[in-house]
Amino acid sequence: MRIDEWLLFPLQVWNMGNFSSSSSSSPDGKLFRLYGYPVAHSASPAFHNEIFSAMRTDKHYTTYSTSKVIPDMLDEIRSDKLGGAAVTMPLKSAIIPYLDGISPESQATGAVNTLVKVPTPSENGTFSIIGTNTDILGVKNSLLKYLRQQHPSTPISNTSRYPKGLGGAGIVFGGGATTRSAVYALHTIGLHPIYLVNRDANEVAQVQANFPDLVKAGSLVHLTSPALVEELLAQPESPKVLMIVGAIPAIPPKTKEERMVYTTASHILTIPYEPPMLPEGSKDSLPIPTKRLFLEMAYKPRLTPMLQVATAHGWQPIVGTEAMLEQGYAQQRMWLKGDPSAATGSDPTILGPQVEQRAADLVAGMGDIVVKEAEIDRAANVDAAPIPKLN
């Protein structure tokens, strides 16, 4: 299902006024799932089960291979045995019409990667299935983590942002759902304008269509060549790029268009850094990076070619496993609390440093998952479940 199709379904957008949430009313289900196809190669089961083990619970996370939203999947989601779930491609948009509501993050990006069972206040003991997008928090919290490391004496909250008019820009390399999540994350940090680098103009247009207000404000400009980079970002009055998120596969470019992405990206990375000045009275602002941040979402290999180029030109490298960890922590926090809010997803006190460190140590030593048997798509001979009729 395309983004413009699910937008026809006026789902309730979740907020604290719609649903109650407390740790004492979180669901009792012991089963947690990853829905999508293919998923046999995913590191998510090892990561989440390590957290469950560290918390000394009997909860268990496993995969469910399906390329469509099928009736059996929906029955499981609605069952008491399920405590929460993750959703990956190709279901991130397709799942939306089947849910009871979505978070503002999912509404903005058109993507759901996490299902949270939220207590329904008017019906004791029942839960609503709310979809949210923790990929955004994977990006945002990774960037804030390294900003805190650069400024250890500066208090940085998860709601801090740069002030309007700063001239601190962000860039995203790539397209699709990950790019939309990165754009939203950079926007919540307060970066403006945000630029896009992508070989496919149609993908860029889809991202722009998802954020019309940003486009109207002069954001989401498609950087297609070094000449355009020079014109827009290398002049004395140009915005200063503070952060970049890379969201393209770490494979050698083959076509002319793919090579131009690397050429354009390299031109951006070589622009000398002239940090902008914070306006007077910006006491609650995020601090300016001492080294510009480059978060690479791909992590196979950990040090991708693009990240190597960025590091060589003085950028602060952030490997993709950092974002994977942060979005996974966010999922666990939300499941535990029965609360899909960004505030809960960003609260490190919920799991605690020891639990999170165990998961981080596991991921640090983890190699690629080797799939030894053919993965079977449960939806191969099954029609997608009918979309619920609107009331």
Side-chain angles (χ1 to χ4, degrees), residues 156-337:
I156 298 176
S157 76
N158 291 313
T159 57
S160 297
R161 54 184 291 126
Y162 291 112
K164 289 184 178 181
L166 173 67
I171 299 179
V172 183
F173 300 163
T178 303
T179 293
R180 296 196 301 273
S181 296
V183 165
Y184 191 84
L186 295 180
H187 170 63
T188 62
I189 288 172
L191 295 180
H192 177 80
I194 298 169
Y195 298 91
L196 302 174
V197 179
N198 192 305
R199 63 179 174 82
D200 189 332
N202 290 328
E203 284 189 352
V204 170
Q206 290 174 11
V207 175
Q208 292 169 333
N210 229 66
F211 300 99
D213 290 342
L214 292 184
V215 174
K216 186 177 180 179
S219 225
L220 302 188
V221 175
H222 187 191
L223 299 175
T224 55
S225 67
L228 192 56
V229 171
E230 190 71 18
E231 176 186 342
L232 297 179
L233 294 177
Q235 306 306 312
E237 69 279 5
S238 297
K240 312 305 179 185
V241 179
L242 304 184
M243 302 178 188
I244 294 177
V245 179
I248 60 176
I251 55 177
K254 296 180 180 179
T255 67
K256 177 183 177 182
E257 290 77 14
E258 290 171 346
R259 291 193 298 272
M260 183 55 69
V261 167
Y262 273 79
T263 301
T264 303
S266 296
H267 201 77
I268 294 168
L269 295 170
T270 58
I271 296 174
Y273 185 32
E274 297 178 4
M277 296 293 294
L278 284 172
E280 291 187 12
S282 303
K283 61 179 181 178
D284 295 325
S285 169
L286 288 173
I288 303 299
T290 56
K291 294 176 66 174
R292 293 169 291 182
L293 306 180
F294 190 106
L295 169 61
E296 177 69 287
M297 296 299 284
Y299 51 87
K300 296 180 182 180
R302 300 291 171 93
L303 193 59
T304 66
M306 192 74 80
L307 201 56
Q308 293 181 53
V309 175
T311 304
H313 289 292
W315 291 70
Q316 172 72 62
I318 307 175
V319 298
T321 51
E322 293 283 357
M324 184 184 79
L325 286 169
E326 290 295 339
Q327 76 86 20
Y329 295 151
Q331 289 178 322
Q332 284 278 350
R333 295 161 183 161
M334 292 174 176
W335 293 334
L336 186 61
K337 292 293 186 179

Side-chain angles (χ1 to χ4, degrees), residues 4-247:
D4 57 346
E5 290 176 325
W6 75 255
L7 284 172
L8 296 175
F9 295 85
L11 287 178
Q12 183 177 35
V13 178
W14 182 92
N15 61 54
M16 288 298 291
N18 297 142
F19 300 97
S20 67
S21 177
S22 68
S23 58
S24 62
S25 58
S26 60
D28 296 326
K30 307 299 183 184
L31 175 66
F32 291 76
R33 286 288 206 187
L34 170 61
Y35 297 105
Y37 183 81
V39 291
H41 65 285
S42 175
S44 292
F47 169 84
H48 285 295
N49 286 325
E50 183 70 12
I51 290 182
F52 288 142
S53 176
M55 296 175 66
R56 299 180 181 179
T57 74
D58 57 353
K59 297 176 181 179
H60 184 68
Y61 183 104
T62 187
T63 59
Y64 185 112
S65 300
T66 179
S67 60
K68 291 175 280 193
V69 180
I70 58 177
D72 283 351
M73 171 185 166
L74 292 178
D75 289 343
E76 185 171 89
I77 288 173
R78 297 288 177 181
S79 71
D80 292 338
K81 67 180 181 180
L82 193 81
V87 178
T88 190
M89 298 300 292
L91 306 181
K92 286 188 175 184
S93 294
I95 188 65
I96 291 177
Y98 301 92
L99 305 177
D100 298 317
I102 57 175
S103 70
E105 292 77 19
S106 286
Q107 183 190 43
T109 58
V112 161
N113 80 325
T114 304
L115 305 183
V116 183
K117 302 187 81 169
V118 179
T120 307
S122 60
E123 301 176 34
N124 189 33
T126 65
F127 294 87
S128 296
I129 309 298
I130 307 300
T132 190
N133 183 348
T134 61
D135 287 335
I136 294 167
L137 297 182
V139 173
K140 179 178 179 179
N141 292 343
S142 297
L143 294 170
L144 293 184
K145 173 183 176 179
Y146 279 79
L147 202 55
R148 290 185 179 103
Q149 290 181 7
Q150 292 185 2
H151 298 272
S153 62
T154 302
I156 298 176
S157 76
N158 291 313
T159 57
S160 297
R161 54 184 291 126
Y162 291 112
K164 289 184 178 181
L166 173 67
I171 299 179
V172 183
F173 300 163
T178 303
T179 293
R180 296 196 301 273
S181 296
V183 165
Y184 191 84
L186 295 180
H187 170 63
T188 62
I189 288 172
L191 295 180
H192 177 80
I194 298 169
Y195 298 91
L196 302 174
V197 179
N198 192 305
R199 63 179 174 82
D200 189 332
N202 290 328
E203 284 189 352
V204 170
Q206 290 174 11
V207 175
Q208 292 169 333
N210 229 66
F211 300 99
D213 290 342
L214 292 184
V215 174
K216 186 177 180 179
S219 225
L220 302 188
V221 175
H222 187 191
L223 299 175
T224 55
S225 67
L228 192 56
V229 171
E230 190 71 18
E231 176 186 342
L232 297 179
L233 294 177
Q235 306 306 312
E237 69 279 5
S238 297
K240 312 305 179 185
V241 179
L242 304 184
M243 302 178 188
I244 294 177
V245 179

